[in-house]
Amino acid sequence: MTKQIIHTVDAPQAIGTYSQAIRVSGGGTIYLSGQIGLDPLSMQMVDGIEAQIQQVFSNLKAVAKASGGSLNDIVKLNIFLIDLDNFALVNEIMASHFVQPYPARAAIGVKALPRGALVEMDGVMVLQE
């Protein structure tokens, strides 16, 4: 198996021992690391749940683009929320960033996220070869 590291300055820089994304063998499958609501320029968390959800999608979009794809190439999306009452808002905002067919998805309630984030998302993207 070969791995290609994906990196873009249009998404927050990795703040730990991980890459923004990894493309594996053959180039068709890309694993997108979790994104939180960090502004890539300031590396500061944006304020409020709605702004964080929007920023997370913007960050995922930037990494997807750097990988040669788009949000619509995501086949699996994982959503982590510290308050599942915000799930309806995630659905509403997600509908403005994706078109059908939507990716498979999981929504998971968690106690805490890095840097005090309210939401984090990661995904798997598959590109046409």
Side-chain angles (χ1 to χ4, degrees):
M1 174 180 76
T2 60
K3 296 189 290 187
Q4 176 189 358
I5 305 303
I6 307 296
H7 173 78
T8 178
V9 297
D10 295 326
Q13 303 309 301
I15 55 175
T17 54
Y18 64 93
S19 301
Q20 289 173 326
I22 300 283
R23 180 189 308 256
V24 294
S25 298
T29 302
I30 297 108
Y31 296 88
L32 306 173
S33 288
Q35 292 291 325
I36 57 177
L38 288 178
D39 178 292
L41 297 177
S42 69
M43 289 299 289
Q44 298 299 311
M45 190 72 62
V46 297
D47 292 326
I49 184 63
E50 185 170 352
Q52 285 190 28
I53 295 166
Q54 291 284 9
Q55 187 65 57
V56 167
F57 281 123
S58 293
N59 294 342
L60 285 173
K61 182 178 180 180
V63 176
K65 181 178 178 184
S67 302
S70 73
L71 291 180
N72 288 314
D73 294 309
I74 294 175
V75 296
K76 176 68 165 98
L77 184 68
N78 295 310
I79 303 166
F80 305 92
L81 290 161
I82 64 164
D83 184 350
L84 286 174
D85 287 342
N86 291 316
F87 188 61
L89 182 59
V90 169
N91 272 334
E92 179 183 323
I93 294 171
M94 185 175 169
S96 71
H97 291 277
F98 287 82
V99 296
Q100 292 187 4
Y102 299 122
R105 181 178 75 178
I108 303 147
V110 296
K111 182 178 178 181
L113 291 166
R115 300 191 76 178
L118 304 173
V119 60
E120 180 172 358
M121 296 181 209
D122 69 8
V124 177
M125 189 167 74
V126 177
L127 301 178
Q128 295 285 333
E129 292 190 45

